[in-house]
Amino acid sequence: MTLLHPEELTADARVSRITGVSLPDGTRRDLVVDDGRVARPEGAPVSGITVDASGWMLLPPAADMHAHIDKAYTWHAAGEPEGSLVDAVAAWQRFGHTLDEDAIASHARRQLQAALRAGVLAVRTHVNYHEGADPLRGLRAVLRVREEFRGLVDVQVVAMHSHVRDDGIVREGIAMGADLLGGAPHLGDDPAAEVDRAVRLAEETGVGIDLHADETLDPASQDLLRIAERTADWPEHMTRSAGHCVALAVQPPERLARILDAAAAARVSIITNPLTNLYLMGWEHPVATPRAVPPLAAIVSAGVVLAAGGDNVQDPFNPLGNGDMVDVASALVLAGHVSPREAWRIVAAGRALADLPAADAEAGSPADGILVRSGSVAHALAERAPDRVVLRGGRVVATRRLRVESVETATAAPAAAYEESEVWA
């Protein structure tokens, strides 16, 4: 048996036991890993790596349920645009046609690498039917990269069809292997008709939907209500998710309650994307700028499943995104008024939407998680969890460590400048 501390672990190490680790609720636990799952202590293996995790916490792995990995890292190449959602859409329409399949794949690969290092083990990404000739090149690129990361990051692909008026091309994209149908009804001339079209195409092709919904501060926007009404009779296995839902933040209380009740009854999940929406929304309000985050507590209280996404990573829609759900959880606390523990629960909740089992450190659950050098979730979020070890099935798939030296102490300690991260991919 080999005894190591978390900071001594390297990529591809196989962990068989973790001792003295804290869980998000503050309890301490000794965990045993057998065949990629948490096992009962009496079934403990007698060999392998034991990790002394005293002073460390095991967080459930993050799930980024709203990404755009085909657009990632294009902000500079697109001319460093800034502005509202309308401005970002226009910038993308001017630029998107210049990207070929290999460039899109390169961007997607880089974001999934960043996600893995950060402890994001599930990603649901929206992918455009791309501008210009060959509208399916983005889907081909992302589906190819999805295969490269199989067994490391579980990737769901949402085919964004809104600007494609040819239903045949939409069906072709689904047939290639996209998991869900997406779109942005609020950007169309007739949002209700756009929702109806998405529902019809989803029913014809046998996939669920994940639509950008109500990404506006206009209270007249009620895409979520329309989605709920049109999918209320769908079988339970068909996904129906609504991303953004920013307009919920400006609804009168009675209307808000009616919309959320309908969403709960129809089993429509909501995916909030605080970082991008805090950036894109409110440019027309130079003072008393709205927060542009839907009412999270009200959503949860209504019984609606709530998850979160990092959304855009250094593209025309957010120049500062980085794919790290620790930053998303922090934004949920600061702008969404939820507790740090609740914020991480929301960040981890997307696993269920991706049809993945909970990684909750209970016997039988996957031995997946993020070891962070912290004593509480609040401390981990406040410090941006600088030291991390990412586990999948008990295997170390990435490490992330920070180091600093100062003239005052000339000693190394966790701090705010990255060392080289290590990742197995």
Side-chain angles (χ1 to χ4, degrees), residues 66-109:
H66 191 112
H68 289 269
I69 68 176
D70 57 329
K71 295 183 172 75
Y73 306 105
T74 58
W75 181 71
H76 177 73
E80 301 187 359
E82 62 178 31
S84 68
L85 175 61
V86 172
D87 298 323
V89 169
W92 181 258
Q93 289 174 340
R94 290 191 301 269
F95 169 75
H97 69 91
T98 68
L99 297 174
D100 62 19
E101 182 176 332
D102 286 341
I104 296 168
S106 177
H107 299 151
R109 186 178 298 111

Side-chain angles (χ1 to χ4, degrees), residues 68 71 74-75 78 81-97 128 131 160 162-163 183-188 212 215 244 276-277 279-281 283 311-312 315-318:
H68 289 269
K71 295 183 172 75
T74 58
W75 181 71
E82 62 178 31
S84 68
L85 175 61
V86 172
D87 298 323
V89 169
W92 181 258
Q93 289 174 340
R94 290 191 301 269
F95 169 75
H97 69 91
N128 278 35
E131 289 75 5
M160 286 276 291
S162 289
H163 67 284
H186 54 280
L187 295 179
H212 291 53
E215 194 177 4
H244 300 291
T276 290
N277 284 138
Y279 174 72
L280 288 177
M281 301 288 111
W283 288 73
D311 208 354
N312 302 91
D315 67 23
F317 297 79
N318 182 1

Side-chain angles (χ1 to χ4, degrees), residues 16 40 46 49 51 54 62 75 128 240 245 264 279 308 334 338 382 400 403 419:
S16 59
R40 298 188 182 280
V46 295
I49 296 174
V51 179
S54 302
W75 181 71
N128 278 35
R240 50 278 220 185
C245 299
Y279 174 72
L334 297 174
V338 299
R400 191 179 202 181
R403 240 180 117 82
E419 275 194 328

Side-chain angles (χ1 to χ4, degrees), residues 236-371:
E236 189 170 352
H237 74 273
M238 285 187 68
T239 295
R240 50 278 220 185
S241 293
H244 300 291
C245 299
V246 175
L248 293 179
V250 291
Q251 297 293 352
E254 299 81 7
R255 187 188 297 165
L256 173 64
R258 181 166 64 90
I259 294 172
L260 292 180
D261 285 347
R267 299 183 298 281
V268 179
S269 54
I270 291 177
I271 301 167
T272 183
N273 305 291
L275 298 179
T276 290
N277 284 138
L278 287 169
Y279 174 72
L280 288 177
M281 301 288 111
W283 288 73
E284 69 276 22
H285 300 281
V287 297
T289 307
R291 287 177 182 260
V293 176
L296 305 180
I299 292 169
V300 174
S301 295
V304 177
V305 174
L306 177 65
D311 208 354
N312 302 91
V313 171
Q314 297 169 47
D315 67 23
F317 297 79
N318 182 1
L320 299 185
N322 60 14
D324 188 348
M325 295 300 287
V326 167
D327 284 359
V328 174
S330 299
L332 294 178
V333 175
L334 297 174
H337 289 170
V338 299
S339 71
R341 285 185 189 172
E342 175 67 3
W344 198 260
R345 188 199 65 78
I346 293 168
V347 160
R351 285 180 62 91
L353 298 185
D355 297 322
L356 298 171
D360 55 10
E362 296 298 326
S365 67
D368 299 352
I370 315 168
L371 282 169

Side-chain angles (χ1 to χ4, degrees), residues 105-145:
S106 177
H107 299 151
R109 186 178 298 111
R110 182 179 171 188
Q111 182 169 343
L112 290 183
Q113 289 169 340
L116 183 61
R117 293 187 181 101
V120 180
L121 299 184
V123 172
R124 179 185 289 176
T125 183
H126 298 253
V127 180
N128 278 35
Y129 287 80
H130 273 248
E131 289 75 5
D134 189 11
L136 297 175
R137 67 190 187 280
L139 282 167
R140 286 198 306 272
V142 170
L143 290 170
R144 171 168 33 120
V145 174

Side-chain angles (χ1 to χ4, degrees), residues 214-231:
D214 301 315
E215 194 177 4
T216 171
L217 291 169
D218 180 0
S221 181
Q222 297 184 50
D223 300 336
L224 177 58
L225 181 60
R226 185 69 174 182
I227 293 168
E229 292 170 345
R230 292 290 281 107
T231 63

